[in-house]
Amino acid sequence: MWEPDPSWRQLPGAGGPSTEGVWVADADGQRWVVKRLAAPRERLNSLTQPGGAGYWRREAEVARDASSVDGPGLVPPVYGAVEEDDEGVTLWTREEAGEPPTGLFVAHALGRFAGAPHATPGWASRGLLADRLAMTQARGGWRTLARTTLADVSDLLWRKRGHWLDRCAQGPEGRLHGDAVPSNFLSRRGEDVVAVDWQCFGVGPVGSDLGYFALSSREEFDVLLDAFLDGVGPGADREAIAVAARVTAVYTVLSRAEWALAQAARGEGALAGKFRHPAVAPHLRALQRQFPQIERLVDV
């Protein structure tokens, strides 16, 4: 049975369907981040299909051959050993030091990464947002949002999700980091950004990463969009890219709000009384921030 070395220091907050834990370790005069991926015990399509959103081995594939994610725009960290056994995979990554890049620099880097010519490995994710919405549907859709003042809006958008996924698919396709949050963008390496946590890496509508990043970046959507388009370069289809970013942001933030509210709704008391709960309020504030993008989709 695999166990971490007692000398390793475990990092808090490491999550994911296949992540067993993340530790910091000292070895060979270097400091390393050690991540343990656990093999699924059951053959769940969401974890075992190479093109699926949650394919459990994807980070190991990136670590073995990082050429698919090696710029421009985003670059991988320095990988060490990839140790595989019957129970999973242990990944060693050299700890990255440096000042975190600004939101606009990351948006520009995401655009460069998405707009560059690329080859698509067989283990890259495809249909990332569609897969995530399918998981939400399996949990019953946005049933808890139907008990809020957003009931009509959420119902309309949920019914139109197929339409918006089709619209996104009509735009240009490019590479996606897949989990574009500030904590995954550690530092600058020249004109590029060192990115970690490639578990959701894949291909999809150009602009998807931007929409995901807009949910946690301090900068406003339109400012990030301009930086992203500049990174994509001449000939960027502004309308198609804006649609992909907007759809990703709106459907992701609504699904997150639904999940948080559904957890809180299990307890006693009226749902409205739980909007300020610390596990719910951040998701609702993020939702409020995306009202302009929600209005754009509803108006269309």
Side-chain angles (χ1 to χ4, degrees), residues 13 37 45 68 85 87 94 106 115 169 173 207 260 275 287 297:
L37 303 177
N45 285 342
S68 296
D85 54 67
E87 297 175 332
R94 189 178 299 171
V106 170
E173 182 181 84
F275 291 168
L287 178 57
L297 297 189

Side-chain angles (χ1 to χ4, degrees), residues 222-293:
D222 289 335
V223 177
L224 292 170
L225 176 61
D226 287 340
F228 184 90
L229 290 167
D230 187 59
V232 174
D237 187 338
R238 183 183 183 93
E239 179 58 27
I241 291 172
V243 166
R246 191 170 291 122
V247 169
T248 300
V250 167
Y251 279 88
T252 301
V253 79
L254 284 166
S255 294
R256 289 177 178 176
E258 164 64 32
W259 180 85
L261 286 168
Q263 302 305 305
R266 296 176 181 177
E268 297 181 358
L271 181 62
K274 299 171 182 178
F275 291 168
R276 295 185 179 180
H277 189 281
V280 175
H283 295 283
L284 298 186
R285 287 195 295 269
L287 178 57
Q288 289 177 324
R289 192 180 175 207
Q290 297 306 315
F291 277 176
Q293 312 314 321

Side-chain angles (χ1 to χ4, degrees), residues 67-275:
S67 60
S68 296
V69 301
D70 193 14
L74 303 182
V75 292
V78 177
Y79 289 109
V82 179
E83 302 167 345
E84 190 156 359
D85 54 67
D86 292 340
E87 297 175 332
V89 182
T90 305
L91 306 179
W92 289 71
T93 307
R94 189 178 299 171
E95 187 179 56
E96 189 74 26
E99 193 72 21
T102 66
L104 291 180
F105 192 88
V106 170
H108 187 266
L110 290 170
R112 293 176 60 216
F113 186 74
H118 63 277
T120 305
W123 41 263
S125 68
R126 295 165 176 81
L128 196 55
L129 181 58
D131 283 354
R132 287 167 171 165
L133 288 176
M135 288 185 243
T136 300
Q137 183 178 14
R139 295 193 294 264
W142 295 339
R143 292 183 298 182
T144 318
L145 286 171
R147 297 165 54 189
T148 71
T149 55
L150 283 175
D152 290 342
V153 170
S154 62
D155 177 66
L156 173 64
L157 289 173
W158 182 254
R159 287 187 286 108
K160 288 178 70 68
R161 66 192 185 280
H163 163 79
W164 285 116
L165 288 172
D166 289 342
R167 278 286 303 275
C168 290
Q170 293 169 13
E173 182 181 84
R175 291 178 300 173
L176 312 175
H177 178 275
D179 190 12
V181 296
S183 59
N184 284 336
F185 305 122
L186 302 185
S187 62
R188 294 176 57 166
R189 187 184 294 166
E191 294 301 313
D192 299 320
V193 172
V194 178
V196 296
D197 200 352
W198 291 93
Q199 193 275 325
C200 294
F201 164 73
V203 293
V206 174
S208 302
D209 266 348
L210 175 66
Y212 206 84
F213 184 67
L215 298 181
S216 47
S217 176
R218 295 179 180 180
E219 291 81 6
E220 294 301 320
F221 182 91
D222 289 335
V223 177
L224 292 170
L225 176 61
D226 287 340
F228 184 90
L229 290 167
D230 187 59
V232 174
D237 187 338
R238 183 183 183 93
E239 179 58 27
I241 291 172
V243 166
R246 191 170 291 122
V247 169
T248 300
V250 167
Y251 279 88
T252 301
V253 79
L254 284 166
S255 294
R256 289 177 178 176
E258 164 64 32
W259 180 85
L261 286 168
Q263 302 305 305
R266 296 176 181 177
E268 297 181 358
L271 181 62
K274 299 171 182 178
F275 291 168

